[in-house]
Amino acid sequence: MLRGRKVGLRARHEEDIPVLRAELYDDVVNSSRAEAGPWRPISPGAKDPRLMVDNQEQGHVPFSVVELEGGTLVGSANLWGIDNHNRSAHIGLGLLPASRGKGYGTDVVAVLCHYGFVVRGLQRLQIETLSDNDAMLRSAERNGFVREGVLRSSAWVMGEFLDEVLLGLLVQDWKQDSTV
């Protein structure tokens, strides 16, 4: 397990899947804001590609996020679009509704940076988020990410186009947290 101050990132367990599906992906609004495509229902018991782990896939590393104190599942996180040639990847995370506003997001981003830069030897990490996602913007910037641009009206979300903010962090600009 990778450890931060408040959370740990561990492998996805089978018992995590129903919780993540119910609290993150079956929520039409949340899922529409988090996914690049339109929400669609997934039948119970179906192998949901957003939640299943393919241990052979090298370009995507999913984690379950748990509280360090007690081990309670609080969300999911991933490094995706891993490009080993250019040594870059994207960061994504989703916290369960009851776990939002507790500082977990900032800690998750810190742990993902440690994983990307130290464990994987990457040069650049990138985040794309909706321009009104203040929690993600704060979490990214607290970890040293810099706003690099705005993708105007690039995301179709629940009947309207929204701007996305592109943030980046280079390994030489990263301030490693000694608690990870």
Side-chain angles (χ1 to χ4, degrees):
M1 178 184 318
L2 298 170
R3 297 176 182 274
R5 289 192 165 129
K6 298 179 176 187
V7 299
L9 273 54
R10 64 159 169 75
R12 177 83 29 89
H13 294 176
E14 191 67 33
E15 61 270 16
D16 298 343
I17 293 172
V19 175
L20 294 172
R21 178 180 288 152
E23 295 201 36
L24 292 180
Y25 299 110
D26 284 348
D27 177 336
V28 177
V29 174
N30 181 69
S31 186
S32 295
R33 292 179 56 81
E35 300 291 320
W39 178 85
R40 62 187 186 96
I42 303 292
S43 300
K47 300 296 184 195
D48 187 338
R50 299 168 300 182
L51 296 170
M52 303 311 294
V53 176
D54 177 354
N55 289 315
Q56 303 305 311
E57 168 61 49
Q58 296 299 308
H60 177 244
V61 181
F63 296 97
S64 287
V65 181
V66 295
E67 288 178 318
L68 286 179
E69 191 175 305
T72 304
L73 179 69
V74 297
S76 67
N78 60 78
L79 216 60
W80 62 276
I82 299 169
D83 179 339
N84 289 320
H85 176 73
N86 293 304
R87 295 178 47 208
S88 64
H90 303 258
I91 285 178
L93 67 100
L95 295 175
L96 304 180
S99 301
R100 297 176 188 155
K102 298 180 178 182
Y104 295 148
T106 299
D107 204 29
V108 170
V109 172
V111 178
L112 285 171
C113 288
H114 174 83
Y115 178 72
F117 292 138
V118 175
V119 177
R120 299 293 297 239
L122 299 176
Q123 162 68 18
R124 174 187 168 78
L125 294 174
Q126 182 169 308
I127 297 173
E128 300 87 4
T129 190
L130 297 174
S131 62
D132 64 353
N133 188 346
D134 295 327
M136 187 63 199
L137 292 167
R138 275 192 311 274
S139 293
E141 290 172 338
R142 286 178 181 153
N143 279 286
F145 281 81
V146 175
R147 292 183 193 213
E148 296 179 334
V150 174
L151 305 171
R152 299 178 306 135
S153 294
S154 63
W156 177 252
V157 180
M158 300 297 293
E160 66 179 322
F161 283 104
L162 298 176
D163 293 348
E164 289 181 285
V165 177
L166 174 68
L167 302 107
L169 179 62
L170 303 177
V171 67
Q172 64 263 25
D173 298 330
W174 175 56
K175 309 277 189 277
Q176 184 173 3
D177 187 331
S178 60
T179 63
V180 178

Short mmCIF file of all heavy atoms in Angstrom, two decimals, residues 116-172:
data_model
loop_
_atom_site.label_atom_id
_atom_site.label_comp_id
_atom_site.label_asym_id
_atom_site.label_seq_id
_atom_site.Cartn_x
_atom_site.Cartn_y
_atom_site.Cartn_z
N GLY A 116 3.84 8.16 -9.35
CA GLY A 116 4.25 8.49 -10.71
C GLY A 116 5.71 8.86 -10.83
O GLY A 116 6.43 8.37 -11.71
N PHE A 117 6.19 9.74 -9.95
CA PHE A 117 7.55 10.24 -10.07
C PHE A 117 8.60 9.29 -9.49
O PHE A 117 9.66 9.09 -10.08
CB PHE A 117 7.68 11.61 -9.40
CG PHE A 117 6.93 12.70 -10.10
CD1 PHE A 117 6.22 13.64 -9.39
CD2 PHE A 117 6.95 12.82 -11.49
CE1 PHE A 117 5.54 14.67 -10.03
CE2 PHE A 117 6.27 13.84 -12.15
CZ PHE A 117 5.56 14.77 -11.41
N VAL A 118 8.32 8.69 -8.33
CA VAL A 118 9.32 7.86 -7.66
C VAL A 118 9.24 6.40 -8.10
O VAL A 118 10.25 5.81 -8.51
CB VAL A 118 9.17 7.97 -6.12
CG1 VAL A 118 10.13 7.01 -5.41
CG2 VAL A 118 9.41 9.40 -5.66
N VAL A 119 8.06 5.83 -8.05
CA VAL A 119 7.92 4.41 -8.36
C VAL A 119 8.02 4.17 -9.88
O VAL A 119 8.71 3.25 -10.32
CB VAL A 119 6.58 3.86 -7.81
CG1 VAL A 119 6.39 2.39 -8.19
CG2 VAL A 119 6.53 4.02 -6.29
N ARG A 120 7.35 5.02 -10.67
CA ARG A 120 7.32 4.82 -12.12
C ARG A 120 8.40 5.58 -12.88
O ARG A 120 8.63 5.34 -14.06
CB ARG A 120 5.95 5.21 -12.69
CG ARG A 120 4.76 4.44 -12.17
CD ARG A 120 4.75 2.99 -12.59
NE ARG A 120 4.66 2.82 -14.01
CZ ARG A 120 3.70 2.16 -14.65
NH1 ARG A 120 2.73 1.61 -13.96
NH2 ARG A 120 3.73 2.04 -15.96
N GLY A 121 9.05 6.54 -12.24
CA GLY A 121 10.11 7.30 -12.90
C GLY A 121 9.62 8.23 -14.00
O GLY A 121 10.33 8.48 -14.97
N LEU A 122 8.41 8.76 -13.82
CA LEU A 122 7.86 9.65 -14.84
C LEU A 122 8.44 11.05 -14.73
O LEU A 122 8.96 11.45 -13.68
CB LEU A 122 6.33 9.69 -14.72
CG LEU A 122 5.62 8.35 -14.92
CD1 LEU A 122 4.13 8.49 -14.67
CD2 LEU A 122 5.90 7.78 -16.30
N GLN A 123 8.33 11.81 -15.79
CA GLN A 123 8.83 13.18 -15.89
C GLN A 123 7.70 14.20 -15.70
O GLN A 123 7.93 15.28 -15.20
CB GLN A 123 9.49 13.37 -17.27
CG GLN A 123 9.70 14.79 -17.72
CD GLN A 123 10.73 15.54 -16.91
OE1 GLN A 123 11.54 14.95 -16.21
NE2 GLN A 123 10.69 16.85 -16.99
N ARG A 124 6.48 13.83 -16.14
CA ARG A 124 5.37 14.78 -16.13
C ARG A 124 4.07 14.09 -15.74
O ARG A 124 3.78 12.99 -16.20
CB ARG A 124 5.20 15.38 -17.53
CG ARG A 124 4.00 16.28 -17.69
CD ARG A 124 3.80 16.71 -19.16
NE ARG A 124 2.51 17.33 -19.34
CZ ARG A 124 2.21 18.57 -19.00
NH1 ARG A 124 3.13 19.35 -18.46
NH2 ARG A 124 1.00 19.06 -19.19
N LEU A 125 3.29 14.76 -14.90
CA LEU A 125 1.94 14.33 -14.57
C LEU A 125 0.98 15.43 -14.98
O LEU A 125 1.33 16.62 -14.91
CB LEU A 125 1.81 14.02 -13.08
CG LEU A 125 2.62 12.83 -12.59
CD1 LEU A 125 2.52 12.70 -11.08
CD2 LEU A 125 2.17 11.54 -13.27
N GLN A 126 -0.21 15.03 -15.39
CA GLN A 126 -1.17 15.99 -15.92
C GLN A 126 -2.56 15.69 -15.35
O GLN A 126 -2.90 14.54 -15.11
CB GLN A 126 -1.19 15.86 -17.45
CG GLN A 126 -2.09 16.82 -18.16
CD GLN A 126 -1.83 16.79 -19.65
OE1 GLN A 126 -0.69 16.91 -20.09
NE2 GLN A 126 -2.88 16.61 -20.43
N ILE A 127 -3.32 16.75 -15.15
CA ILE A 127 -4.71 16.64 -14.69
C ILE A 127 -5.57 17.49 -15.61
O ILE A 127 -5.21 18.63 -15.92
CB ILE A 127 -4.86 17.14 -13.23
CG1 ILE A 127 -4.05 16.27 -12.27
CG2 ILE A 127 -6.33 17.22 -12.83
CD1 ILE A 127 -3.99 16.80 -10.85
N GLU A 128 -6.71 16.92 -16.01
CA GLU A 128 -7.73 17.69 -16.70
C GLU A 128 -8.96 17.63 -15.82
O GLU A 128 -9.38 16.55 -15.40
CB GLU A 128 -8.06 17.10 -18.08
CG GLU A 128 -6.90 17.04 -19.03
CD GLU A 128 -6.06 15.78 -18.91
OE1 GLU A 128 -6.41 14.88 -18.11
OE2 GLU A 128 -5.04 15.70 -19.59
N THR A 129 -9.56 18.78 -15.52
CA THR A 129 -10.75 18.80 -14.69
C THR A 129 -11.66 19.92 -15.14
O THR A 129 -11.22 20.89 -15.77
CB THR A 129 -10.38 18.95 -13.19
OG1 THR A 129 -11.54 18.72 -12.39
CG2 THR A 129 -9.78 20.31 -12.88
N LEU A 130 -12.94 19.81 -14.82
CA LEU A 130 -13.88 20.86 -15.16
C LEU A 130 -13.51 22.14 -14.43
O LEU A 130 -13.04 22.10 -13.29
CB LEU A 130 -15.31 20.43 -14.81
CG LEU A 130 -15.83 19.21 -15.57
CD1 LEU A 130 -17.20 18.79 -15.03
CD2 LEU A 130 -15.90 19.49 -17.06
N SER A 131 -13.72 23.25 -15.09
CA SER A 131 -13.28 24.54 -14.53
C SER A 131 -14.02 24.90 -13.23
O SER A 131 -13.51 25.71 -12.45
CB SER A 131 -13.45 25.66 -15.55
OG SER A 131 -14.82 25.80 -15.91
N ASP A 132 -15.17 24.28 -12.96
CA ASP A 132 -15.89 24.57 -11.72
C ASP A 132 -15.61 23.53 -10.63
O ASP A 132 -16.23 23.55 -9.57
CB ASP A 132 -17.39 24.72 -11.97
CG ASP A 132 -18.04 23.42 -12.46
OD1 ASP A 132 -17.33 22.44 -12.73
OD2 ASP A 132 -19.29 23.42 -12.58
N ASN A 133 -14.65 22.63 -10.86
CA ASN A 133 -14.30 21.62 -9.87
C ASN A 133 -13.25 22.20 -8.93
O ASN A 133 -12.06 21.87 -8.98
CB ASN A 133 -13.79 20.35 -10.56
CG ASN A 133 -13.59 19.20 -9.59
OD1 ASN A 133 -13.60 19.38 -8.38
ND2 ASN A 133 -13.41 18.01 -10.13
N ASP A 134 -13.72 23.09 -8.06
CA ASP A 134 -12.82 23.81 -7.16
C ASP A 134 -12.01 22.88 -6.26
O ASP A 134 -10.84 23.14 -5.99
CB ASP A 134 -13.60 24.81 -6.31
CG ASP A 134 -14.21 25.92 -7.14
OD1 ASP A 134 -13.60 26.32 -8.16
OD2 ASP A 134 -15.31 26.39 -6.79
N ALA A 135 -12.61 21.78 -5.81
CA ALA A 135 -11.90 20.86 -4.92
C ALA A 135 -10.70 20.24 -5.63
O ALA A 135 -9.60 20.17 -5.06
CB ALA A 135 -12.85 19.77 -4.41
N MET A 136 -10.88 19.80 -6.87
CA MET A 136 -9.76 19.20 -7.61
C MET A 136 -8.71 20.24 -7.94
O MET A 136 -7.50 19.96 -7.86
CB MET A 136 -10.26 18.52 -8.88
CG MET A 136 -9.19 17.74 -9.60
SD MET A 136 -8.59 16.38 -8.57
CE MET A 136 -7.05 16.04 -9.37
N LEU A 137 -9.14 21.44 -8.33
CA LEU A 137 -8.18 22.50 -8.63
C LEU A 137 -7.33 22.82 -7.40
O LEU A 137 -6.11 22.95 -7.51
CB LEU A 137 -8.91 23.75 -9.15
CG LEU A 137 -9.57 23.60 -10.52
CD1 LEU A 137 -10.51 24.77 -10.79
CD2 LEU A 137 -8.53 23.46 -11.62
N ARG A 138 -7.97 22.91 -6.24
CA ARG A 138 -7.22 23.18 -4.99
C ARG A 138 -6.25 22.04 -4.68
O ARG A 138 -5.10 22.27 -4.33
CB ARG A 138 -8.17 23.38 -3.82
CG ARG A 138 -8.71 24.78 -3.67
CD ARG A 138 -9.41 24.98 -2.32
NE ARG A 138 -10.36 23.94 -1.99
CZ ARG A 138 -11.64 23.94 -2.37
NH1 ARG A 138 -12.11 24.91 -3.10
NH2 ARG A 138 -12.43 22.96 -2.02
N SER A 139 -6.74 20.80 -4.79
CA SER A 139 -5.89 19.64 -4.49
C SER A 139 -4.67 19.60 -5.40
O SER A 139 -3.55 19.34 -4.95
CB SER A 139 -6.69 18.34 -4.65
OG SER A 139 -7.69 18.25 -3.67
N ALA A 140 -4.88 19.89 -6.68
CA ALA A 140 -3.77 19.89 -7.64
C ALA A 140 -2.78 21.00 -7.32
O ALA A 140 -1.56 20.77 -7.25
CB ALA A 140 -4.31 20.04 -9.06
N GLU A 141 -3.28 22.20 -7.14
CA GLU A 141 -2.39 23.34 -6.91
C GLU A 141 -1.65 23.24 -5.59
O GLU A 141 -0.49 23.66 -5.49
CB GLU A 141 -3.18 24.64 -7.04
CG GLU A 141 -3.57 24.88 -8.50
CD GLU A 141 -4.51 26.04 -8.74
OE1 GLU A 141 -5.24 26.46 -7.79
OE2 GLU A 141 -4.53 26.55 -9.89
N ARG A 142 -2.26 22.67 -4.57
CA ARG A 142 -1.57 22.46 -3.29
C ARG A 142 -0.40 21.49 -3.44
O ARG A 142 0.52 21.50 -2.63
CB ARG A 142 -2.54 21.92 -2.24
CG ARG A 142 -3.49 22.97 -1.73
CD ARG A 142 -4.46 22.41 -0.73
NE ARG A 142 -5.37 23.44 -0.27
CZ ARG A 142 -6.59 23.22 0.17
NH1 ARG A 142 -7.06 21.98 0.24
NH2 ARG A 142 -7.35 24.21 0.55
N ASN A 143 -0.45 20.66 -4.47
CA ASN A 143 0.63 19.71 -4.73
C ASN A 143 1.60 20.22 -5.79
O ASN A 143 2.47 19.47 -6.24
CB ASN A 143 0.04 18.36 -5.15
CG ASN A 143 -0.39 17.55 -3.95
OD1 ASN A 143 0.44 17.01 -3.24
ND2 ASN A 143 -1.70 17.48 -3.72
N GLY A 144 1.49 21.48 -6.19
CA GLY A 144 2.46 22.07 -7.10
C GLY A 144 2.06 22.09 -8.56
O GLY A 144 2.82 22.58 -9.40
N PHE A 145 0.88 21.55 -8.91
CA PHE A 145 0.44 21.60 -10.30
C PHE A 145 0.20 23.03 -10.73
O PHE A 145 -0.25 23.86 -9.93
CB PHE A 145 -0.85 20.79 -10.49
CG PHE A 145 -0.62 19.31 -10.59
CD1 PHE A 145 -0.43 18.55 -9.44
CD2 PHE A 145 -0.59 18.68 -11.82
CE1 PHE A 145 -0.22 17.18 -9.52
CE2 PHE A 145 -0.38 17.31 -11.91
CZ PHE A 145 -0.19 16.56 -10.76
N VAL A 146 0.52 23.32 -11.97
CA VAL A 146 0.39 24.66 -12.54
C VAL A 146 -0.69 24.63 -13.62
O VAL A 146 -0.71 23.70 -14.44
CB VAL A 146 1.74 25.11 -13.17
CG1 VAL A 146 1.60 26.43 -13.87
CG2 VAL A 146 2.82 25.15 -12.10
N ARG A 147 -1.55 25.64 -13.62
CA ARG A 147 -2.55 25.74 -14.68
C ARG A 147 -1.83 26.09 -15.98
O ARG A 147 -1.14 27.10 -16.06
CB ARG A 147 -3.58 26.81 -14.36
CG ARG A 147 -4.46 26.43 -13.19
CD ARG A 147 -5.52 27.47 -12.94
NE ARG A 147 -6.14 27.25 -11.64
CZ ARG A 147 -7.41 27.50 -11.38
NH1 ARG A 147 -8.20 27.99 -12.31
NH2 ARG A 147 -7.89 27.27 -10.18
N GLU A 148 -2.01 25.23 -16.97
CA GLU A 148 -1.33 25.43 -18.24
C GLU A 148 -2.27 25.90 -19.34
O GLU A 148 -1.81 26.35 -20.39
CB GLU A 148 -0.65 24.12 -18.67
CG GLU A 148 0.45 23.71 -17.70
CD GLU A 148 1.12 22.41 -18.09
OE1 GLU A 148 0.50 21.57 -18.77
OE2 GLU A 148 2.29 22.23 -17.70
N GLY A 149 -3.54 25.79 -19.12
CA GLY A 149 -4.48 26.24 -20.14
C GLY A 149 -5.90 25.89 -19.82
O GLY A 149 -6.19 25.16 -18.87
N VAL A 150 -6.79 26.45 -20.62
CA VAL A 150 -8.22 26.18 -20.52
C VAL A 150 -8.67 25.66 -21.87
O VAL A 150 -8.38 26.27 -22.91
CB VAL A 150 -9.01 27.44 -20.13
CG1 VAL A 150 -10.51 27.17 -20.17
CG2 VAL A 150 -8.59 27.94 -18.75
N LEU A 151 -9.35 24.54 -21.85
CA LEU A 151 -9.94 23.98 -23.06
C LEU A 151 -11.39 24.46 -23.07
O LEU A 151 -12.24 23.94 -22.34
CB LEU A 151 -9.84 22.45 -23.04
CG LEU A 151 -8.44 21.89 -22.84
CD1 LEU A 151 -8.48 20.39 -22.61
CD2 LEU A 151 -7.56 22.24 -24.02
N ARG A 152 -11.65 25.49 -23.86
CA ARG A 152 -12.95 26.14 -23.85
C ARG A 152 -14.05 25.23 -24.40
O ARG A 152 -13.89 24.63 -25.45
CB ARG A 152 -12.90 27.45 -24.64
CG ARG A 152 -11.91 28.44 -24.03
CD ARG A 152 -11.80 29.74 -24.81
NE ARG A 152 -11.50 29.50 -26.20
CZ ARG A 152 -12.11 30.13 -27.21
NH1 ARG A 152 -13.04 31.01 -27.00
NH2 ARG A 152 -11.78 29.85 -28.46
N SER A 153 -15.13 25.17 -23.66
CA SER A 153 -16.33 24.40 -24.06
C SER A 153 -15.97 23.01 -24.60
O SER A 153 -16.53 22.56 -25.59
CB SER A 153 -17.13 25.18 -25.11
OG SER A 153 -17.67 26.34 -24.55
N SER A 154 -15.09 22.32 -23.92
CA SER A 154 -14.60 21.03 -24.42
C SER A 154 -15.32 19.83 -23.83
O SER A 154 -15.12 18.71 -24.30
CB SER A 154 -13.10 20.90 -24.17
OG SER A 154 -12.85 20.93 -22.78
N ALA A 155 -16.13 20.03 -22.79
CA ALA A 155 -16.79 18.90 -22.13
C ALA A 155 -18.31 19.08 -22.17
O ALA A 155 -18.83 20.10 -21.71
CB ALA A 155 -16.31 18.79 -20.68
N TRP A 156 -18.99 18.10 -22.73
CA TRP A 156 -20.45 18.09 -22.75
C TRP A 156 -20.92 17.42 -21.47
O TRP A 156 -20.69 16.23 -21.26
CB TRP A 156 -20.96 17.35 -23.98
CG TRP A 156 -22.44 17.24 -24.05
CD1 TRP A 156 -23.17 16.10 -23.85
CD2 TRP A 156 -23.37 18.27 -24.37
NE1 TRP A 156 -24.50 16.37 -24.02
CE2 TRP A 156 -24.65 17.70 -24.34
CE3 TRP A 156 -23.23 19.62 -24.68
CZ2 TRP A 156 -25.80 18.44 -24.60
CZ3 TRP A 156 -24.37 20.36 -24.93
CH2 TRP A 156 -25.64 19.77 -24.90
N VAL A 157 -21.56 18.17 -20.58
CA VAL A 157 -21.96 17.66 -19.27
C VAL A 157 -23.41 18.05 -19.00
O VAL A 157 -23.72 19.24 -18.88
CB VAL A 157 -21.06 18.21 -18.15
CG1 VAL A 157 -21.49 17.67 -16.79
CG2 VAL A 157 -19.60 17.89 -18.41
N MET A 158 -24.25 17.07 -18.94
CA MET A 158 -25.65 17.26 -18.55
C MET A 158 -26.33 18.42 -19.29
O MET A 158 -26.95 19.29 -18.70
CB MET A 158 -25.75 17.46 -17.03
CG MET A 158 -25.23 16.31 -16.20
SD MET A 158 -26.12 14.76 -16.42
CE MET A 158 -27.70 15.17 -15.71
N GLY A 159 -26.17 18.44 -20.61
CA GLY A 159 -26.89 19.40 -21.43
C GLY A 159 -26.20 20.71 -21.71
O GLY A 159 -26.80 21.61 -22.29
N GLU A 160 -24.94 20.84 -21.31
CA GLU A 160 -24.21 22.07 -21.62
C GLU A 160 -22.72 21.78 -21.79
O GLU A 160 -22.20 20.81 -21.28
CB GLU A 160 -24.41 23.12 -20.52
CG GLU A 160 -23.81 22.73 -19.17
CD GLU A 160 -24.00 23.80 -18.10
OE1 GLU A 160 -23.92 25.00 -18.42
OE2 GLU A 160 -24.23 23.41 -16.95
N PHE A 161 -22.07 22.66 -22.54
CA PHE A 161 -20.62 22.58 -22.70
C PHE A 161 -19.96 23.33 -21.56
O PHE A 161 -20.36 24.45 -21.22
CB PHE A 161 -20.18 23.18 -24.04
CG PHE A 161 -20.44 22.29 -25.20
CD1 PHE A 161 -21.48 22.53 -26.07
CD2 PHE A 161 -19.63 21.17 -25.44
CE1 PHE A 161 -21.73 21.70 -27.15
CE2 PHE A 161 -19.87 20.33 -26.50
CZ PHE A 161 -20.92 20.60 -27.37
N LEU A 162 -18.94 22.72 -20.98
CA LEU A 162 -18.17 23.33 -19.90
C LEU A 162 -16.70 23.39 -20.28
O LEU A 162 -16.21 22.57 -21.06
CB LEU A 162 -18.32 22.52 -18.60
CG LEU A 162 -19.74 22.41 -18.03
CD1 LEU A 162 -19.73 21.50 -16.81
CD2 LEU A 162 -20.30 23.77 -17.69
N ASP A 163 -16.00 24.37 -19.70
CA ASP A 163 -14.56 24.48 -19.90
C ASP A 163 -13.85 23.45 -19.03
O ASP A 163 -14.32 23.09 -17.95
CB ASP A 163 -14.05 25.87 -19.48
CG ASP A 163 -14.56 26.99 -20.36
OD1 ASP A 163 -15.13 26.71 -21.44
OD2 ASP A 163 -14.38 28.16 -19.95
N GLU A 164 -12.69 23.01 -19.52
CA GLU A 164 -11.81 22.16 -18.74
C GLU A 164 -10.50 22.90 -18.50
O GLU A 164 -10.04 23.64 -19.37
CB GLU A 164 -11.51 20.85 -19.46
CG GLU A 164 -12.67 19.90 -19.53
CD GLU A 164 -12.29 18.62 -20.23
OE1 GLU A 164 -12.17 18.63 -21.46
OE2 GLU A 164 -12.11 17.60 -19.52
N VAL A 165 -9.91 22.69 -17.34
CA VAL A 165 -8.62 23.27 -17.00
C VAL A 165 -7.58 22.17 -17.11
O VAL A 165 -7.77 21.05 -16.63
CB VAL A 165 -8.62 23.86 -15.58
CG1 VAL A 165 -7.24 24.41 -15.20
CG2 VAL A 165 -9.67 24.96 -15.46
N LEU A 166 -6.47 22.49 -17.76
CA LEU A 166 -5.34 21.57 -17.91
C LEU A 166 -4.26 22.02 -16.94
O LEU A 166 -3.86 23.19 -16.94
CB LEU A 166 -4.83 21.64 -19.35
CG LEU A 166 -3.57 20.86 -19.68
CD1 LEU A 166 -3.83 19.38 -19.59
CD2 LEU A 166 -3.08 21.23 -21.07
N LEU A 167 -3.82 21.09 -16.08
CA LEU A 167 -2.77 21.37 -15.11
C LEU A 167 -1.64 20.37 -15.30
O LEU A 167 -1.89 19.21 -15.63
CB LEU A 167 -3.31 21.24 -13.68
CG LEU A 167 -4.49 22.13 -13.31
CD1 LEU A 167 -5.74 21.31 -13.20
CD2 LEU A 167 -4.23 22.86 -12.02
N GLY A 168 -0.42 20.82 -15.09
CA GLY A 168 0.73 19.95 -15.23
C GLY A 168 1.72 20.13 -14.10
O GLY A 168 1.78 21.19 -13.47
N LEU A 169 2.48 19.07 -13.85
CA LEU A 169 3.55 19.10 -12.85
C LEU A 169 4.72 18.30 -13.39
O LEU A 169 4.57 17.15 -13.80
CB LEU A 169 3.07 18.50 -11.52
CG LEU A 169 4.08 18.44 -10.38
CD1 LEU A 169 4.56 19.84 -9.98
CD2 LEU A 169 3.47 17.73 -9.18
N LEU A 170 5.89 18.92 -13.38
CA LEU A 170 7.13 18.25 -13.80
C LEU A 170 7.87 17.76 -12.56
O LEU A 170 7.81 18.39 -11.50
CB LEU A 170 8.02 19.21 -14.59
CG LEU A 170 7.38 19.83 -15.84
CD1 LEU A 170 8.35 20.80 -16.50
CD2 LEU A 170 6.94 18.75 -16.81
N VAL A 171 8.59 16.67 -12.71
CA VAL A 171 9.26 16.06 -11.57
C VAL A 171 10.21 17.06 -10.89
O VAL A 171 10.30 17.09 -9.67
CB VAL A 171 10.00 14.76 -11.97
CG1 VAL A 171 11.17 15.02 -12.90
CG2 VAL A 171 10.43 13.98 -10.73
N GLN A 172 10.89 17.91 -11.67
CA GLN A 172 11.83 18.85 -11.06
C GLN A 172 11.14 19.96 -10.26
O GLN A 172 11.77 20.61 -9.43
CB GLN A 172 12.79 19.45 -12.09
CG GLN A 172 12.14 20.29 -13.15
CD GLN A 172 11.87 19.53 -14.43
OE1 GLN A 172 11.73 18.30 -14.43
NE2 GLN A 172 11.78 20.24 -15.54
#
